[in-house]
Amino acid sequence: MAGTAEVLETVDETMDAALGRLFDLLRMPSISTDPAYEDHCRATADWLVAELNDIGFEASRRDTPGHPMVVAHARAAGPDVLFYGHYDVQPVDPLSLWDHDPFEPQMEERDGGAVIRARGASDDKGQLMTFVEACRAWKAVHGTLPANITILFEGEEESGSPSLVPFLRENKEELSADLALVCDTGMWNAQTPSICTSLRGLLGEEIIITGPNRDLHSGAYGGPAQNPIRVLTKILASLHDETGRVTVPGFYDGVRPVSNAMKAQWDTLGFSAEDFLGKVGLSEPAGEQGYTVLEQIWARPTCEFNGISGGYAGDGFKTVLPSEARAKVSFRLVGEQDPLAIRDAFRAQVRAMVPADCSVDFLEHGASGGVAMPTDDPAFEQARAALSAEWGGTAVFTGGGGSIPVVGYFKEELGMDSMLVGFALDDDRIHSPNEKYALRSFHKGIRSWVRILAALRDA
Amino acid sequence: MAGTAEVLETVDETMDAALGRLFDLLRMPSISTDPAYEDHCRATADWLVAELNDIGFEASRRDTPGHPMVVAHARAAGPDVLFYGHYDVQPVDPLSLWDHDPFEPQMEERDGGAVIRARGASDDKGQLMTFVEACRAWKAVHGTLPANITILFEGEEESGSPSLVPFLRENKEELSADLALVCDTGMWNAQTPSICTSLRGLLGEEIIITGPNRDLHSGAYGGPAQNPIRVLTKILASLHDETGRVTVPGFYDGVRPVSNAMKAQWDTLGFSAEDFLGKVGLSEPAGEQGYTVLEQIWARPTCEFNGISGGYAGDGFKTVLPSEARAKVSFRLVGEQDPLAIRDAFRAQVRAMVPADCSVDFLEHGASGGVAMPTDDPAFEQARAALSAEWGGTAVFTGGGGSIPVVGYFKEELGMDSMLVGFALDDDRIHSPNEKYALRSFHKGIRSWVRILAALRDA
């Protein structure tokens, strides 16, 4: 670990400047899913390019048909790694539920310590900056870096990553490394860092049901006219059976039971389903019958409804029969489930339920399968030891319920495995109003990357 | 019919001025369901008061806990009638589907003749002004009116009429008359005027399902967390069986079969289900199996979904599990169906489907039963003859699929029957973007009221 202590000391001494840089990044409203924010996404990419060049990377903005990528290289001896993060963020609505402007970050003192509150503070700007700041500190002390590092920042992670696979294919040689480091996951709890060893995939679909060629008066047409909301609710209600299982034919093909060894490890985590659900006002697991909450999140696929709209939704009442109704539906996938086969089966099931005089259209919102990490690669135990040293406890291997499609793409397109290390906490409210990132996550996150890079170098 | 010809001539000669007055009224955005338009509703009432005083009525704005009423009297010999209309209008969203500002009326030349295009042109500002202009012309010619006329204009018809029943109770003596004349219905077709002899009632309900105490990330919580959209769609999907019947217990209590005599009359109307549905892009009746389209609209009750919302409905995708989902549900009622008993049964059915960790709230949006008119009152045949004379064909008695709750309230609160005469056309797009009213409806509507008032006077 030669030279590590000095770097850690530099991290501690330069925290104010590091926070200033993070706040600058958080002020940029890089909402990728809404075309109105296109210029802001490009400006955010430019800001990161300048930041990385300032540290000594060779960085550039790489335009795509969507939002640009940022790619940077710092050639050095040592392990060959690619670091991935995303600079785009989720939409902020409903804006009225935020305590302040989501793009005007604020430091707040809380019982559990200071937090940085802003959209993207945790997902993923705060996280990606832990790695950037670790590099900056290392470079400041040693004039070089402890690894041969490529950085890839994406701007479409929250909108299905349409440009990512083409970009990986076009730049395969440039982006391939021995291992990808990805910082977009969480701690097991505020004291215990975690390396995530599995992720669920995500298939996103939008259903648009169209009936009459215009909105109708429910007095004049109610009865004989098709109502697209009624058609849509019948379809959505058919997607789960009474035990919570998804009814799409073949949906569970490729889903494997959790091994006894993995279950035994999960049992040691001290997970409390009561606490986990209680934090969000719930008390009973509502997923598939016969599975624990951890299994439901980490090892079982789902079908969820993320948005629905149709007709009049304002104050008061309007006796309208709408011409159209829409729903956004997503499937979390595990194991060897095939996203494209499931998309086909889902669409066929929906089409079969669309009656005469109605039509259905589908919009694609991403399709990626679940992934499992190669925990037998020694790098995983080296990183775990580095994390344990920084946080003063035993870092753990856990599953992940969310989707980080890039991990699957790295494997499929570049043959590259990923190691997922992140410092988010369960109560970070990612994707919700008042998102935050603990100052401690940011500070010790930077220090963690310093230690992990040193550990990989010394292996 | 003494003195009628001169009045009709005056109507014809003063059409430009009448249109100017109607356009002034249409420019006022009196959307009653949205509290943001409260001042506009009051201003519209004031405009009508001034208009009626100008004709010689004793008119006044009568404030209520909601939007004001307008009441006017013109004491005269002759039959004792109350004329009812409503000055409030439906919301205009989606605004993007309007060809021009909904509150900047325009005269457009169409193949079928000129039309007045604006929100409220047909429902109900254009219609109520046919009666006002008939009174103005009569007064201009004769210096008095052919009947003892009370006018009642309401400003909450499109938002459930919360103030109407209390107002009728408080002013029972002032408002009671031998017969109410209501102008809020349509012609049978562009050549054939109609008197509507039955109306469906309306029970409006809003369901709000709440689950987790905040929006959640579907990766972090998808599976074990309740999803309010899923709960809501299961509930809505349960409200109709496979034959299109409503499943609320006791729902069909009080629904009577259509008499053979009435069916025989309807058979003479030359109604084409194909044309009726084809105009709005449909081809097959989608209501209860075993009933004709006219029965489905005029004689059968319905359960319709008028609006649904929850989660993320913007462009792109957001992997959120929403805290809340809502639906606006309405029931069209016929015969002796009891709106309050149905409300109770509906709510009990919904409550029984709300799972652990979710809650349901209900908002009321009106409750009124169906009504049938006393077609054996000679006034109905007198009015029919007057309409036939004006339009050059045989006016018909028809059913109505919509709800005009005031007709039930007049009967229940004041013991007063109503006669429904209106000049709207099926393609008027009421409640939809680009609402219009035929200039011919406005012009011959005014002339029709002149003839009807004369006929009632001469009876």
Side-chain angles (χ1 to χ4, degrees), chain A residues 261-279:
Chain A
M262 188 63 89
K263 276 189 186 172
Q265 198 202 323
W266 291 354
D267 286 343
T268 69
L269 293 173
F271 174 79
S272 161
E274 194 179 348
D275 289 353
F276 174 77
L277 293 174
K279 276 181 198 165

Side-chain angles (χ1 to χ4, degrees), chain B residues 47-70:
Chain B
W47 186 93
L48 286 164
V49 167
E51 180 72 10
L52 292 168
N53 280 326
D54 185 54
I55 298 174
F57 283 83
E58 290 169 25
S60 59
R61 191 189 80 209
R62 306 281 281 270
D63 289 337
T64 73
H67 302 301
M69 305 282 175
V70 171

Side-chain angles (χ1 to χ4, degrees), chain A residues 419-430:
Chain A
M419 183 160 68
L420 302 173
V421 177
F423 309 99
L425 296 177
D426 281 347
D427 63 354
D428 276 358
R429 293 178 166 264
I430 64 168

Side-chain angles (χ1 to χ4, degrees), chain A residues 90 213 215 218 222 224 227 234 237 280 283-284 286 304-306 308 310 312 314 316 318 320 328 332 357 432, chain B residues 90 200 213 215 218 224 227 234 237 240 280 283-284 286 304-306 308 310 312 314 316 318 320 328 332 357 432:
Chain A
Q90 281 272 322
N213 61 19
D215 287 359
S218 77
N227 183 328
K234 285 271 186 204
V280 296
S283 65
E284 294 185 14
E304 292 287 1
F305 309 143
N306 306 109
I308 190 164
Y312 181 67
K318 188 172 173 181
V320 64
K328 296 181 202 280
R332 295 281 172 182
D357 287 341
S432 291
Chain B
Q90 282 273 322
R200 292 195 291 190
N213 61 17
D215 286 359
S218 77
N227 182 330
K234 284 271 187 205
H240 299 84
V280 295
S283 65
E284 293 185 15
E304 291 288 0
F305 309 142
N306 307 108
I308 191 164
Y312 180 69
K318 188 172 173 181
V320 64
K328 296 182 202 278
R332 296 279 173 183
D357 288 341
S432 292

Side-chain angles (χ1 to χ4, degrees), chain B residues 98-242:
Chain B
W98 285 80
D99 291 339
H100 63 79
D101 183 341
F103 296 109
E104 191 44 62
Q106 302 205 5
M107 188 74 78
E108 296 177 16
E109 289 299 329
R110 296 277 155 161
D111 285 348
V115 302
I116 302 152
R117 203 175 288 282
R119 169 57 89 228
S122 177
D123 181 20
D124 183 44
K125 289 173 173 174
Q127 302 245 63
L128 73 82
M129 287 299 280
T130 59
F131 188 85
V132 172
E133 294 294 343
C135 291
R136 180 183 282 276
W138 196 290
K139 193 76 184 296
V141 171
H142 297 291
T144 180
L145 289 170
N148 190 51
I149 299 174
T150 297
I151 286 179
L152 172 63
F153 292 145
E154 183 194 4
E156 302 180 330
E157 200 271 348
E158 304 290 7
S159 54
S161 296
S163 307
L164 183 59
V165 168
F167 190 79
L168 294 180
R169 287 182 186 163
E170 284 164 24
N171 302 280
K172 184 170 178 171
E173 197 173 347
E174 179 184 1
L175 298 174
S176 294
D178 291 338
L179 183 68
L181 305 175
V182 176
C183 192
D184 199 13
T185 50
M187 309 261 293
W188 172 241
N189 58 41
Q191 288 75 43
T192 314
S194 157
I195 298 176
C196 177
T197 63
S198 68
L199 286 170
R200 292 195 291 190
L202 180 69
L203 171 65
E205 290 277 286
E206 187 159 353
I207 310 174
I208 306 163
I209 303 288
T210 307
N213 61 17
R214 60 174 189 253
D215 286 359
L216 302 176
H217 186 291
S218 77
Y221 287 92
Q226 286 288 358
N227 182 330
I229 299 177
R230 185 168 149 197
V231 173
L232 181 63
T233 56
K234 284 271 187 205
I235 289 169
L236 297 183
S238 80
L239 289 168
H240 299 84
D241 71 12
E242 287 171 10

Side-chain angles (χ1 to χ4, degrees), chain A residues 318, chain B residues 31 37 89-96 98 102-103 119 432-433:
Chain A
K318 188 172 173 181
Chain B
I31 300 171
Y37 293 84
V89 299
Q90 282 273 322
V92 296
D93 58 285
L95 193 56
S96 60
W98 285 80
F103 296 109
R119 169 57 89 228
S432 292

Side-chain angles (χ1 to χ4, degrees), chain B residues 163-423:
Chain B
S163 307
L164 183 59
V165 168
F167 190 79
L168 294 180
R169 287 182 186 163
E170 284 164 24
N171 302 280
K172 184 170 178 171
E173 197 173 347
E174 179 184 1
L175 298 174
S176 294
D178 291 338
L179 183 68
L181 305 175
V182 176
C183 192
D184 199 13
T185 50
M187 309 261 293
W188 172 241
N189 58 41
Q191 288 75 43
T192 314
S194 157
I195 298 176
C196 177
T197 63
S198 68
L199 286 170
R200 292 195 291 190
L202 180 69
L203 171 65
E205 290 277 286
E206 187 159 353
I207 310 174
I208 306 163
I209 303 288
T210 307
N213 61 17
R214 60 174 189 253
D215 286 359
L216 302 176
H217 186 291
S218 77
Y221 287 92
Q226 286 288 358
N227 182 330
I229 299 177
R230 185 168 149 197
V231 173
L232 181 63
T233 56
K234 284 271 187 205
I235 289 169
L236 297 183
S238 80
L239 289 168
H240 299 84
D241 71 12
E242 287 171 10
T243 70
R245 278 175 71 89
V246 177
T247 60
V248 174
F251 183 72
Y252 290 94
D253 292 354
V255 178
R256 293 178 185 164
V258 181
S259 72
N260 288 335
M262 188 64 90
K263 275 191 187 172
Q265 197 200 328
W266 291 355
D267 285 344
T268 70
L269 293 172
F271 174 79
S272 161
E274 192 178 350
D275 288 352
F276 175 77
L277 294 173
K279 277 180 198 165
V280 295
L282 302 173
S283 65
E284 293 185 15
E288 275 178 284
Q289 289 175 16
Y291 295 92
T292 66
V293 168
L294 278 191
E295 285 175 302
Q296 288 180 3
I297 299 173
W298 291 350
R300 299 300 301 176
T302 65
C303 168
E304 291 288 0
F305 309 142
N306 307 108
I308 191 164
S309 62
Y312 180 69
D315 283 343
F317 209 89
K318 188 172 173 181
T319 51
V320 64
L321 301 184
S323 173
E324 180 186 287
R326 292 174 175 245
K328 296 182 202 278
V329 178
S330 64
F331 300 88
R332 296 279 173 183
L333 305 179
V334 301
E336 307 296 317
Q337 281 182 296
D338 178 348
L340 300 183
I342 290 171
R343 174 188 285 163
D344 288 346
F346 165 71
R347 290 185 177 187
Q349 177 168 342
V350 171
R351 283 197 187 95
M353 292 188 69
V354 176
D357 288 341
C358 286
S359 61
V360 61
D361 291 294
F362 296 95
L363 298 180
E364 297 184 11
H365 292 290
S368 65
V371 282
M373 316 307 161
T375 48
D376 49 354
D377 177 339
F380 281 77
E381 285 299 342
Q382 292 154 12
R384 181 145 87 143
L387 286 167
S388 298
E390 171 60 27
W391 292 81
T394 303
V396 294
F397 288 165
T398 57
S403 304
I404 306 182
V406 68
V407 174
Y409 301 147
F410 284 163
K411 185 72 182 175
E412 290 157 23
E413 302 298 331
L414 308 183
M416 180 166 62
D417 287 316
S418 298
M419 184 160 68
L420 303 173
V421 177
F423 310 98

